[in-house]
Amino acid sequence: MTESGNNTSGSWDHSVDLLVVGSGAGAMTAALVGHDAGANVLLIEKGEQYGGSSAMSGGGLWIPCNHLAREAGMQDTPEAAWKYFKGCVGDATPDDRLRAYLENAPKLLEYLCAKTRAEFIPLLEYADYYPRIEGSTPGGRCLDPVNFSGKELGDEFVKMRESAPQQQILGRISMTIPEARISLARTKGWMWTLTRLFLRYLLDIPWRFKSKRDRNLAMGNALVGMLRASLMDRDVPLWLETPAKSLIFEGDRVVGVEAERDGKRIRIRAEKAVILAAGGFEANQAMRDKYLPQPSKAEWSSANPNNTGDIINMGIDAGAAIGLMDEAWWGPAVKFPADDRARFFVIELSLPGSVLVNKQGRRFVNEAAPYGDKVAAMYAKNTPEAETIPSYLIFDANFRNKYPVGPLLPGQQQPDWAAPKDVMSLIVKADSLRELAEKLGIDADGLEATVAKMNEYAKTGVDTEFGRGDTIFDQYYGDLNQKPNPNLGPIDKAPFYAMRTWPGELGTKGGLLVDAKARVLNEAGNVIPGLYATGNCSASVMGHTYPGPGATLGPATTFGFVAARDALGVD
Ligand SMILES: Cc1cc2nc3c(=O)[nH]c(=O)nc-3n(C[C@H](O)[C@H](O)[C@H](O)COP(=O)(O)OP(=O)(O)OC[C@H]3O[C@@H](n4cnc5c(N)ncnc54)[C@H](O)[C@@H]3O)c2cc1C
């Protein structure tokens, strides 16, 4: 728990119109909008670096009916967007909040494109995650940040949180979402794409002599870089190493925050509002134990280690209501010894020639389904006889040779003997499926039967059990050279490999309950005046689902936009 709020007495150390807590994409958006509406704004960030999980991320924003897709010729309508969004979220979120998202997200994008350094391209082939739900589109709703040069940030560049290692080649070289797809799934032009990325990295002389970090920013680093540069253009201050500790009230209104800076307590007044944008509680094991389905470990998270739920507890102490606390942006993950965070597995489970099994050696889910569905199945089907936590990713020598797995490059480039020992220590290898099962302690007959079926599906192209590869979403991370189904390939060449995978996440999604204007609500359902929340410290507008690529950053930024405008009375 945090120290309680309601501390109304005492003088102020600093005073602004709008105080934003956190420095992810939602926080920075709120600060930009606030500044442009004429407010004096300050951001405070707990960590030594700014950007949070937003900087580590893929950087995509899911925005139906956006102007960039429209200009690129994609069809989308508010009716289709509503049907799809409501079809995904159902009754988990009040309709007025869903409508507020659909109405404001395209406006936010227009604002960012027109008034800030942010630039995006619509991903025309990246489909919504549930193509069978009415109103889905085959692409265009996800916006990918274009590359941004770290040089534009000057000394602030190194203060930005680094990309997650899985977002970069060799944990170092930046790539956009389409470049990642081309390189990892080896679609047309992959060799040239990889060569170009390596050359761009190597030829950034003399920076190469100074640092391994790529200055050509992509994905979440590009998004946060553009927003940070836009804040710098406006001289909006961002104080690092300044954690918020408690809310300060006057009567029932929030008027400021007590924070820690240089080892001292300071009181910051916010004349108009405090906007909380300080991430979820994924790094707080006690909160995970209390709220999330079990088992659940902080080491399975891919998100920012500073997200320890402080702000959610601060809100609870101040009487705020909470929701969706048992939810996260789930996905199967593996923590490798050399990484400080777990790697979220996406392509490994979609590419042809892999299968995910339980302790009985049996499949339990479509491996190429949206990430959240796989972890939902891991929890729902985890029984003592047929444990799914961990579950086992199985692949063969052909798969190992052709495709990357976690930090391992394809065997063609990095054979087992040249692979890092600590990574190989997590991989079980055997000359037969039976031996592999025995080494893993799982049912060998079950595994052999499962693989026999998968090999049959690879020939027919039809997975009659779970429908792997049946939708355009599944196929996005498949290998389009693989016929007849880009997600199904034989598993028949020794040696065979296995890796234990766990229910990981990109961040939790439960937190302070907010209304359609991002105002924090108390237990009685009333607005707490002066207090707003966005991003993963608020209960997500997405409810229990993940409708499409960018469905976490889309709302974080949109409701940052909504909150700042409402707080400052902008129509
Ligand atoms: C590998 C990876 C890939 C991802 N890809 C995507 C993607 O492509 N699209 C998408 O939509 N989502 C993606 N996500 C998820 C997305 O990054 C997060 O859901 C989102 O960034 C959360 O934003 P936030 O503002 O809530 O938190 P953050 O971006 O984490 O920002 C919160 C900030 O608040 C700070 N903070 C915490 N406590 C305090 C305190 N007491 N005082 C002051 N500051 C505090 C934290 O240090 C942090 O900097 C990805 C995540 C990961 C890890």
Side-chain angles (χ1 to χ4, degrees):
M1 299 290 273
T2 59
E3 300 96 278
S4 65
N6 298 322
N7 179 6
T8 57
S9 61
S11 59
W12 299 100
D13 298 290
H14 196 78
S15 179
V16 290
D17 297 324
L18 196 61
L19 177 63
V20 183
V21 180
S23 66
M28 289 194 181
T29 302
L32 286 166
V33 173
H35 173 277
D36 290 358
N40 175 13
V41 185
L42 169 67
L43 294 102
I44 58 170
E45 160 60 46
K46 170 183 177 180
E48 291 170 3
Q49 290 175 301
Y50 61 86
S53 296
S54 306
M56 301 164 73
S57 76
L61 309 181
W62 186 75
I63 300 188
C65 296
N66 69 74
H67 70 286
L68 295 177
R70 192 163 55 245
E71 286 161 13
M74 291 300 285
Q75 298 284 328
D76 198 356
T77 63
E79 296 71 33
W82 171 254
K83 275 193 182 139
Y84 180 71
F85 197 26
K86 180 73 184 163
C88 288
V89 181
D91 294 329
T93 304
D95 284 1
D96 64 337
R97 239 183 119 202
L98 297 182
R99 291 201 186 279
Y101 183 61
L102 293 181
E103 197 183 302
N104 285 290
K107 290 185 192 162
L108 152 84
L109 186 70
E110 283 170 27
Y111 162 79
L112 288 178
C113 293
K115 304 280 185 205
T116 76
R117 301 240 209 148
E119 282 182 67
F120 302 89
I121 53 160
L123 299 183
L124 303 179
E125 292 177 359
Y126 205 171
D128 289 330
Y129 286 178
Y130 297 94
R132 293 193 179 98
I133 294 185
E134 195 181 351
S136 71
T137 56
R141 286 180 177 165
C142 179
L143 289 315
D144 187 28
V146 302
N147 288 108
F148 185 72
S149 172
K151 287 183 207 167
E152 301 286 321
L153 295 167
D155 294 344
E156 285 292 294
F157 169 49
V158 291
K159 295 184 195 159
M160 190 199 314
R161 182 162 281 284
E162 292 87 349
S163 291
Q166 69 186 76
Q167 310 294 86
Q168 298 187 302
I169 303 164
L170 294 171
R172 188 178 301 184
I173 302 175
S174 303
M175 53 188 168
T176 60
I177 294 175
E179 285 164 348
R181 183 196 181 204
I182 292 170
S183 326
L184 300 175
R186 314 187 127 211
T187 50
K188 200 164 164 242
W190 70 273
M191 278 287 263
W192 167 238
T193 301
L194 276 182
T195 310
R196 194 170 45 78
L197 294 175
F198 272 93
L199 284 177
R200 190 186 64 194
Y201 177 78
L202 292 172
L203 295 177
D204 185 9
I205 303 166
W207 184 254
R208 271 302 60 81
F209 293 104
K210 280 197 190 164
S211 167
K212 287 178 181 168
R213 191 165 172 189
D214 196 345
R215 276 198 300 187
N216 200 301
L217 310 180
M219 299 199 197
N221 254 230
L223 175 66
V224 167
M226 291 164 181
L227 297 175
R228 181 73 188 104
S230 306
L231 287 169
M232 288 160 67
D233 293 342
R234 291 161 170 80
D235 285 330
V236 174
L238 191 173
W239 293 355
L240 297 176
E241 297 182 81
T242 309
K245 292 291 182 183
S246 61
L247 293 167
I248 303 174
F249 283 80
E250 266 173 20
D252 63 352
R253 184 180 180 85
V254 171
V255 293
V257 158
E258 191 170 73
E260 207 168 77
R261 196 164 193 227
D262 297 329
K264 292 195 196 103
R265 284 304 170 102
I266 56 167
R267 288 163 52 89
I268 307 170
R269 184 165 177 96
E271 292 291 343
K272 302 283 186 192
V274 172
I275 300 181
L276 305 173
F281 61 89
E282 52 272 9
N284 182 326
Q285 187 60 46
M287 286 180 82
R288 294 182 79 100
D289 294 344
K290 180 167 177 187
Y291 294 113
L292 292 181
Q294 297 302 311
S296 160
K297 291 206 174 144
E299 72 186 51
W300 301 338
S301 178
S302 302
N304 171 23
N306 281 330
N307 293 351
T308 47
D310 317 351
I311 294 304
I312 299 173
N313 284 329
M314 192 171 98
I316 295 171
D317 288 353
I322 49 174
L324 291 177
M325 292 295 282
D326 57 347
E327 275 292 356
W329 306 104
W330 301 112
V334 180
K335 160 85 175 64
F336 292 90
D339 293 337
D340 70 336
R341 315 300 299 146
R343 287 184 189 238
F344 196 79
F345 273 17
V346 179
I347 52 147
E348 290 85 349
L349 293 154
S350 294
L351 287 166
S354 67
V355 65
L356 190 69
V357 298
N358 63 14
K359 202 170 184 210
Q360 293 175 327
R362 305 281 176 187
R363 292 174 76 205
F364 58 96
V365 71
N366 166 14
E367 295 86 350
Y371 358 101
D373 293 5
K374 289 177 265 204
V375 169
M378 275 170 135
Y379 279 118
K381 300 187 181 178
N382 189 35
T383 61
E385 318 74 59
E387 266 173 20
T388 47
I389 302 175
S391 26
Y392 304 84
L393 171 68
I394 311 286
F395 50 96
D396 74 351
N398 281 327
F399 186 96
R400 166 76 186 97
N401 209 31
K402 268 173 100 173
Y403 305 122
V405 178
L408 285 183
L409 293 177
Q412 284 166 357
Q413 280 99 42
Q414 190 180 43
D416 290 351
W417 58 264
K421 286 207 170 43
D422 60 331
V423 174
M424 291 310 285
S425 72
L426 296 193
I427 295 181
V428 179
K429 188 174 164 186
D431 288 331
S432 69
L433 286 168
R434 182 153 289 274
E435 188 192 338
L436 189 73
E438 280 160 8
K439 283 187 175 175
L440 292 168
I442 69 173
D443 189 281
D445 291 339
L447 182 62
E448 283 182 340
T450 297
V451 170
K453 276 193 204 164
M454 287 304 278
N455 290 345
E456 200 46 41
Y457 302 155
K459 277 191 220 143
T460 61
V462 184
D463 165 11
T464 52
E465 285 171 287
F466 295 101
R468 174 165 167 171
D470 282 0
T471 73
I472 45 172
F473 168 71
D474 289 12
Q475 292 164 17
Y476 188 75
Y477 288 113
D479 180 345
L480 298 180
N481 302 310
Q482 179 74 30
K483 308 285 181 210
N485 183 324
N487 302 101
L488 291 171
I491 306 169
D492 55 6
K493 185 165 180 217
F496 297 95
Y497 297 82
M499 197 181 293
R500 290 176 176 82
T501 66
W502 307 91
E505 32 69 21
L506 300 174
T508 51
K509 62 151 75 155
L512 307 177
L513 269 191
V514 289
D515 69 4
K517 293 180 174 171
R519 298 177 297 188
V520 176
L521 302 175
N522 66 16
E523 294 279 8
N526 300 320
V527 166
I528 300 179
L531 190 63
Y532 294 79
T534 189
N536 292 347
C537 65
S538 61
S540 176
V541 69
M542 297 293 162
H544 302 282
T545 190
Y546 201 136
T552 96
L553 287 166
T557 48
T558 297
F559 287 110
F561 172 82
V562 168
R565 285 164 64 93
D566 190 68
L568 299 167
V570 180
D571 281 336

